[in-house]
PDB file of all heavy atoms in Angstrom:
ATOM      1  N   LEU Q 148     101.192 156.984 123.915  1.00 93.00           N
ATOM      2  CA  LEU Q 148      99.776 157.072 124.310  1.00 93.00           C
ATOM      3  C   LEU Q 148      99.208 155.674 124.562  1.00 93.00           C
ATOM      4  O   LEU Q 148      98.439 155.472 125.535  1.00 93.00           O
ATOM      5  CB  LEU Q 148      98.951 157.783 123.243  1.00 93.00           C
ATOM      6  CG  LEU Q 148      97.543 158.257 123.660  1.00 93.00           C
ATOM      7  CD1 LEU Q 148      97.621 159.267 124.746  1.00 93.00           C
ATOM      8  CD2 LEU Q 148      96.808 158.808 122.451  1.00 93.00           C
ATOM      9  N   ILE Q 149      99.587 154.722 123.739  1.00 95.00           N
ATOM     10  CA  ILE Q 149      99.141 153.320 123.981  1.00 95.00           C
ATOM     11  C   ILE Q 149      99.648 152.779 125.277  1.00 95.00           C
ATOM     12  O   ILE Q 149      98.932 152.171 126.057  1.00 95.00           O
ATOM     13  CB  ILE Q 149      99.593 152.444 122.804  1.00 95.00           C
ATOM     14  CG1 ILE Q 149      98.832 152.813 121.529  1.00 95.00           C
ATOM     15  CG2 ILE Q 149      99.397 150.966 123.129  1.00 95.00           C
ATOM     16  CD1 ILE Q 149      99.255 152.039 120.301  1.00 95.00           C
ATOM     17  N   ILE Q 150     100.982 152.975 125.514  1.00 94.00           N
ATOM     18  CA  ILE Q 150     101.592 152.499 126.788  1.00 94.00           C
ATOM     19  C   ILE Q 150     100.901 153.168 127.992  1.00 94.00           C
ATOM     20  O   ILE Q 150     100.600 152.562 128.956  1.00 94.00           O
ATOM     21  CB  ILE Q 150     103.065 152.754 126.766  1.00 94.00           C
ATOM     22  CG1 ILE Q 150     103.777 151.996 125.695  1.00 94.00           C
ATOM     23  CG2 ILE Q 150     103.693 152.353 128.131  1.00 94.00           C
ATOM     24  CD1 ILE Q 150     105.250 152.308 125.452  1.00 94.00           C
ATOM     25  N   GLY Q 151     100.663 154.481 127.842  1.00 92.00           N
ATOM     26  CA  GLY Q 151     100.001 155.231 128.910  1.00 92.00           C
ATOM     27  C   GLY Q 151      98.598 154.686 129.140  1.00 92.00           C
ATOM     28  O   GLY Q 151      98.106 154.637 130.249  1.00 92.00           O
ATOM     29  N   GLY Q 152      97.878 154.280 128.022  1.00 92.00           N
ATOM     30  CA  GLY Q 152      96.560 153.738 128.174  1.00 92.00           C
ATOM     31  C   GLY Q 152      96.561 152.416 128.866  1.00 92.00           C
ATOM     32  O   GLY Q 152      95.616 152.103 129.625  1.00 92.00           O
ATOM     33  N   ILE Q 153      97.579 151.627 128.612  1.00 94.00           N
ATOM     34  CA  ILE Q 153      97.692 150.312 129.314  1.00 94.00           C
ATOM     35  C   ILE Q 153      98.008 150.554 130.802  1.00 94.00           C
ATOM     36  O   ILE Q 153      97.484 149.881 131.678  1.00 94.00           O
ATOM     37  CB  ILE Q 153      98.796 149.459 128.670  1.00 94.00           C
ATOM     38  CG1 ILE Q 153      98.374 149.088 127.263  1.00 94.00           C
ATOM     39  CG2 ILE Q 153      99.082 148.207 129.500  1.00 94.00           C
ATOM     40  CD1 ILE Q 153      99.460 148.390 126.465  1.00 94.00           C
ATOM     41  N   ALA Q 154      98.830 151.578 131.051  1.00 93.00           N
ATOM     42  CA  ALA Q 154      99.249 151.851 132.428  1.00 93.00           C
ATOM     43  C   ALA Q 154      98.093 152.329 133.304  1.00 93.00           C
ATOM     44  O   ALA Q 154      98.171 152.208 134.517  1.00 93.00           O
ATOM     45  CB  ALA Q 154     100.393 152.877 132.446  1.00 93.00           C
ATOM     46  N   ILE Q 155      97.073 152.875 132.668  1.00 93.00           N
ATOM     47  CA  ILE Q 155      95.935 153.437 133.487  1.00 93.00           C
ATOM     48  C   ILE Q 155      95.136 152.256 134.087  1.00 93.00           C
ATOM     49  O   ILE Q 155      94.407 152.493 135.032  1.00 93.00           O
ATOM     50  CB  ILE Q 155      95.066 154.334 132.601  1.00 93.00           C
ATOM     51  CG1 ILE Q 155      94.262 155.265 133.521  1.00 93.00           C
ATOM     52  CG2 ILE Q 155      94.117 153.532 131.766  1.00 93.00           C
ATOM     53  CD1 ILE Q 155      93.478 156.297 132.804  1.00 93.00           C
ATOM     54  N   ILE Q 156      95.269 151.065 133.588  1.00 93.00           N
ATOM     55  CA  ILE Q 156      94.515 149.929 134.120  1.00 93.00           C
ATOM     56  C   ILE Q 156      94.863 149.695 135.590  1.00 93.00           C
ATOM     57  O   ILE Q 156      93.982 149.678 136.469  1.00 93.00           O
ATOM     58  CB  ILE Q 156      94.709 148.694 133.296  1.00 93.00           C
ATOM     59  CG1 ILE Q 156      94.197 148.885 131.858  1.00 93.00           C
ATOM     60  CG2 ILE Q 156      94.039 147.468 133.954  1.00 93.00           C
ATOM     61  CD1 ILE Q 156      94.464 147.729 130.917  1.00 93.00           C
ATOM     62  N   PRO Q 157      96.154 149.470 135.930  1.00 93.00           N
ATOM     63  CA  PRO Q 157      96.416 149.332 137.383  1.00 93.00           C
ATOM     64  C   PRO Q 157      96.167 150.583 138.181  1.00 93.00           C
ATOM     65  O   PRO Q 157      95.788 150.488 139.405  1.00 93.00           O
ATOM     66  CB  PRO Q 157      97.966 149.000 137.389  1.00 93.00           C
ATOM     67  CG  PRO Q 157      98.491 149.448 136.054  1.00 93.00           C
ATOM     68  CD  PRO Q 157      97.378 149.272 135.114  1.00 93.00           C
ATOM     69  N   VAL Q 158      96.348 151.762 137.571  1.00 92.00           N
ATOM     70  CA  VAL Q 158      95.999 153.017 138.251  1.00 92.00           C
ATOM     71  C   VAL Q 158      94.488 153.065 138.577  1.00 92.00           C
ATOM     72  O   VAL Q 158      94.122 153.458 139.697  1.00 92.00           O
ATOM     73  CB  VAL Q 158      96.388 154.226 137.351  1.00 92.00           C
ATOM     74  CG1 VAL Q 158      95.821 155.518 137.961  1.00 92.00           C
ATOM     75  CG2 VAL Q 158      97.862 154.302 137.198  1.00 92.00           C
ATOM     76  N   ALA Q 159      93.675 152.584 137.648  1.00 91.00           N
ATOM     77  CA  ALA Q 159      92.244 152.610 137.917  1.00 91.00           C
ATOM     78  C   ALA Q 159      91.857 151.590 139.019  1.00 91.00           C
ATOM     79  O   ALA Q 159      91.006 151.883 139.847  1.00 91.00           O
ATOM     80  CB  ALA Q 159      91.517 152.204 136.596  1.00 91.00           C
ATOM     81  N   ILE Q 160      92.555 150.448 139.004  1.00 93.00           N
ATOM     82  CA  ILE Q 160      92.276 149.434 140.055  1.00 93.00           C
ATOM     83  C   ILE Q 160      92.630 149.989 141.429  1.00 93.00           C
ATOM     84  O   ILE Q 160      91.804 149.858 142.354  1.00 93.00           O
ATOM     85  CB  ILE Q 160      93.093 148.179 139.744  1.00 93.00           C
ATOM     86  CG1 ILE Q 160      92.575 147.520 138.487  1.00 93.00           C
ATOM     87  CG2 ILE Q 160      92.982 147.177 140.926  1.00 93.00           C
ATOM     88  CD1 ILE Q 160      93.437 146.311 138.024  1.00 93.00           C
ATOM     89  N   VAL Q 161      93.789 150.609 141.529  1.00 91.00           N
ATOM     90  CA  VAL Q 161      94.203 151.174 142.799  1.00 91.00           C
ATOM     91  C   VAL Q 161      93.224 152.332 143.204  1.00 91.00           C
ATOM     92  O   VAL Q 161      92.879 152.487 144.414  1.00 91.00           O
ATOM     93  CB  VAL Q 161      95.645 151.752 142.763  1.00 91.00           C
ATOM     94  CG1 VAL Q 161      96.007 152.482 144.016  1.00 91.00           C
ATOM     95  CG2 VAL Q 161      96.629 150.592 142.480  1.00 91.00           C
ATOM     96  N   SER Q 162      92.773 153.084 142.221  1.00 89.00           N
ATOM     97  CA  SER Q 162      91.886 154.237 142.529  1.00 89.00           C
ATOM     98  C   SER Q 162      90.519 153.739 143.080  1.00 89.00           C
ATOM     99  O   SER Q 162      89.981 154.326 143.938  1.00 89.00           O
ATOM    100  CB  SER Q 162      91.696 155.031 141.247  1.00 89.00           C
ATOM    101  OG  SER Q 162      92.862 155.609 140.778  1.00 89.00           O
TER     102      SER Q 162
END
Side-chain angles (χ1 to χ4, degrees):
L148 194 63
I149 290 176
I150 297 173
I153 295 172
I155 202 173
I156 296 174
V158 171
I160 293 172
V161 174
S162 298

